[in-house]
Structure formats: structure tokens, C-alpha cells
Amino acid sequence: MQLRGRQTQFYIDLIYGLGFAVGFGYLLFVGMNPLVAAFQSGLVLGYFLRVWENMSVYERILHEEVAAEAEEVVADEIEDTMPGEVEDAVAEEIKDTMPDEVEEAVAKKVEGAVAEEAEDAVPEEVTAEVEKQVAEEMTDEIKQRVGEEMDERFQEVGEHVEKKRDDRTSENEDVVPE
């Protein structure tokens, strides 16, 4: 069971009422007992303090409601009597005070957004560009090395063929009859 608002107040008042009734009944039918009389005086004092608290809470609520209603009435009255002047004055005041603050706030937000966007986008773009460059450089280097190796092999094969041809020519010269 959850107690809220007036329901809570009802049960608290009911407990105080039962405490008063039982204490007064005891004092009336059983006789005067200083402990019961002290308890009763404590109940009475506590109840008065509770009433005082409720009055101060209700008074605060009443002040808040009156202040809100007064603000509303004053705003309506100002709006009726000087609608354009108030709006112009407020707009001018905002233009005078707000641009610096707005520019600073926007600059901070833009810097943050740019930094965040850059953190998200740059690594992906850099990775793609690096992969592309590495692939191109590797292809160029492989072509260059393969070309150099092929040139070396062609030279070796050419030298080998030249040597074989020279050997064959010298063999043929030895074989030629005179």
C-alpha cells in the first residue's frame, strides 16, 4: 500500500485521533497517570506542530500559485498594451547580448563535430589510400625487379649462346679439311 498526498494526511490524522481518544479514555476511566498525561501532552504538541507545518506548506503553495497567476496577468497586460514594443525590445536585447555567446557555442560544436567526423572518416580514407599506394608501388617494384632479372637472364643466355656459338665455330674450324 502506497500512501500519497491527502491519503497520507488522512491516515496520520487518524492515528493522532486514535492516540488522543485512547489516552483521554484511559485518563477518564482508569485515573490520572503521569506517564499517560505526558504522552497526551506530547501528542497534542506533535499535532500542533503538524498543523503548523501544513499551514506553512499550504501558504507556500498559495504564494507560488498567486505569483504564477500574477506573472500571467502582467504578461497578458503588457502584450495587450505594448505588443510590438516589447517584442522589439526583447529582440534588440537578444541581438546585443547573444551573438558572441552563440558564436562561441557554435564554434565549439563545429570544432567538436569536425574532429569527430575527421576521426571517423580519415582512418578509412587513409587506409584505402595507403593500400592503393602500396599496391601500385609493389606492382612497380615487382615489374622493375622482374625486368632486371629478365635482362640479367637474357644477358646470361646471350653470353651462353655466344659462347656456344663460338665453341661451335671453333669446332667447325677444326673440323674443316684443308
Side-chain angles (χ1 to χ4, degrees):
M1 173 170 93
Q2 289 184 329
L3 302 176
R4 295 185 187 171
R6 297 205 183 261
Q7 186 180 16
T8 304
Q9 292 176 3
F10 170 76
Y11 285 115
I12 291 172
D13 289 340
L14 183 68
I15 291 170
Y16 270 114
L18 288 175
F20 288 145
V22 169
F24 285 128
Y26 183 85
L27 289 175
L28 197 78
F29 295 115
V30 175
M32 280 303 276
N33 185 343
L35 290 175
V36 175
F39 178 74
Q40 282 298 106
S41 65
L43 276 177
V44 169
L45 179 64
Y47 191 74
F48 281 131
L49 290 175
R50 177 167 157 56
V51 168
W52 185 21
E53 177 194 14
N54 286 341
M55 284 178 22
S56 63
V57 168
Y58 291 140
E59 186 176 312
R60 182 173 39 97
I61 290 171
L62 185 63
H63 281 301
E64 289 174 359
E65 288 178 1
V66 167
E69 188 69 31
E71 286 177 14
E72 195 175 299
V73 167
V74 168
D76 289 342
E77 221 173 277
I78 289 175
E79 204 171 282
D80 290 343
T81 58
M82 303 179 289
E85 294 174 16
V86 172
E87 289 177 11
D88 292 341
V90 169
E92 188 174 316
E93 184 71 25
I94 287 175
K95 285 180 185 176
D96 291 343
T97 59
M98 295 306 270
D100 296 333
E101 295 171 8
V102 170
E103 287 178 15
E104 290 174 11
V106 168
K108 287 179 184 177
K109 284 187 180 181
V110 166
E111 287 175 14
V114 167
E116 191 174 300
E117 188 70 27
E119 287 176 7
D120 292 343
V122 168
E124 295 169 4
E125 292 175 9
V126 167
T127 303
E129 186 65 29
V130 166
E131 288 175 356
K132 181 179 171 186
Q133 277 185 335
V134 166
E136 289 174 0
E137 289 176 7
M138 290 302 291
T139 303
D140 291 344
E141 192 172 326
I142 289 172
K143 284 181 182 177
Q144 183 182 357
R145 284 188 183 177
V146 167
E148 288 173 1
E149 275 187 42
M150 291 302 288
D151 288 344
E152 287 176 13
R153 286 197 180 169
F154 281 142
Q155 262 185 340
E156 287 176 11
V157 168
E159 289 173 5
H160 184 66
V161 167
E162 187 83 25
K163 187 177 179 186
K164 286 281 190 181
R165 196 173 10 154
D166 286 342
D167 286 346
R168 280 193 182 165
T169 329
S170 56
E171 280 179 12
N172 284 340
E173 288 177 2
D174 290 340
V175 176
V176 175
E178 295 191 30

